[in-house]
Amino acid sequence: MDYTELARQYLQTFLQFYRTRINQMMNESMHGEAYVLQHIANNDCDVVPGDISNAMGVSSARMATVLNGLENKGLITRHIDSSDRRRTILRLTQAGTEEADNCTSRMVESTAKMLEYLGENDAKEYIRILCKISESNLRCLD
């Protein structure tokens, strides 16, 4: 098998996918405000800005900008940790919880439509392959 030619086809197809609406929605959900809201919503323990910036791979300055925007919109609140005054704990407001739920619902709906378009067999195969790639952590690139 010629993996080089297959790689070229993959990259060409990936670039086409990169420009699609569903990919743009996925990117938005994995970066910026939507990601922060979902990260806070999905964690049972106290969430601090450093945890989110590490998860997103962004600087503390970028995280501060995102948090300021969310706070100005009334979606989060910041609280000083009573046991360690150097720590800031993030919490969702009611509006923040609703927005996080809406973001999740939109992503699930869009993804379900994409998988439906593929059909049952191809959708299952697509998920299987993504899981395999994810589990491998792309060790072959090391």
Side-chain angles (χ1 to χ4, degrees), residues 40-108:
I40 297 169
N42 293 332
N43 283 282
D44 295 331
C45 58
D46 291 339
V47 178
V48 296
D51 294 342
I52 304 173
S53 62
N54 288 338
M56 290 176 68
V58 299
S59 69
S60 57
R62 171 72 179 126
M63 183 52 49
T65 300
V66 171
L67 295 176
N68 287 338
L70 290 170
E71 193 171 35
N72 290 338
K73 293 176 183 176
L75 301 176
I76 66 164
T77 58
R78 300 182 210 202
H79 304 274
I80 301 297
D81 186 344
S82 59
S83 63
D84 182 352
R85 298 193 51 77
R86 295 171 295 175
R87 281 179 31 136
T88 301
I89 298 171
L90 305 172
R91 294 200 176 98
L92 295 178
T93 63
Q94 182 61 38
T97 300
E98 291 170 7
E99 183 60 26
D101 290 345
N102 289 338
C103 287
T104 300
S105 294
R106 286 191 304 268
M107 278 304 300
V108 169

Side-chain angles (χ1 to χ4, degrees), residues 2-142:
D2 183 1
Y3 286 102
T4 303
E5 181 56 34
L6 203 55
R8 284 188 178 97
Q9 290 175 14
Y10 168 80
L11 291 171
Q12 181 180 7
T13 304
F14 184 80
L15 287 173
Q16 290 171 343
F17 176 75
Y18 185 77
R19 295 180 186 115
T20 65
R21 187 166 88 59
I22 183 121
N23 185 60
Q24 291 170 354
M25 289 179 69
M26 282 191 240
N27 268 341
E28 289 170 11
S29 73
M30 298 305 293
H31 298 91
E33 292 182 350
Y35 181 89
V36 173
L37 291 174
Q38 291 173 341
H39 186 91
I40 297 169
N42 293 332
N43 283 282
D44 295 331
C45 58
D46 291 339
V47 178
V48 296
D51 294 342
I52 304 173
S53 62
N54 288 338
M56 290 176 68
V58 299
S59 69
S60 57
R62 171 72 179 126
M63 183 52 49
T65 300
V66 171
L67 295 176
N68 287 338
L70 290 170
E71 193 171 35
N72 290 338
K73 293 176 183 176
L75 301 176
I76 66 164
T77 58
R78 300 182 210 202
H79 304 274
I80 301 297
D81 186 344
S82 59
S83 63
D84 182 352
R85 298 193 51 77
R86 295 171 295 175
R87 281 179 31 136
T88 301
I89 298 171
L90 305 172
R91 294 200 176 98
L92 295 178
T93 63
Q94 182 61 38
T97 300
E98 291 170 7
E99 183 60 26
D101 290 345
N102 289 338
C103 287
T104 300
S105 294
R106 286 191 304 268
M107 278 304 300
V108 169
E109 184 180 318
S110 295
T111 304
K113 285 179 183 177
M114 178 191 71
L115 294 172
E116 183 180 358
Y117 172 77
L118 291 177
E120 182 177 355
N121 292 336
D122 285 348
K124 287 179 178 178
E125 187 68 3
Y126 178 67
I127 298 300
R128 184 192 68 75
I129 291 168
L130 283 177
C131 288
K132 187 174 183 176
I133 291 170
S134 177
E135 288 169 2
S136 76
N137 202 16
L138 296 176
R139 284 172 267 180
C140 62
L141 296 179
D142 292 337

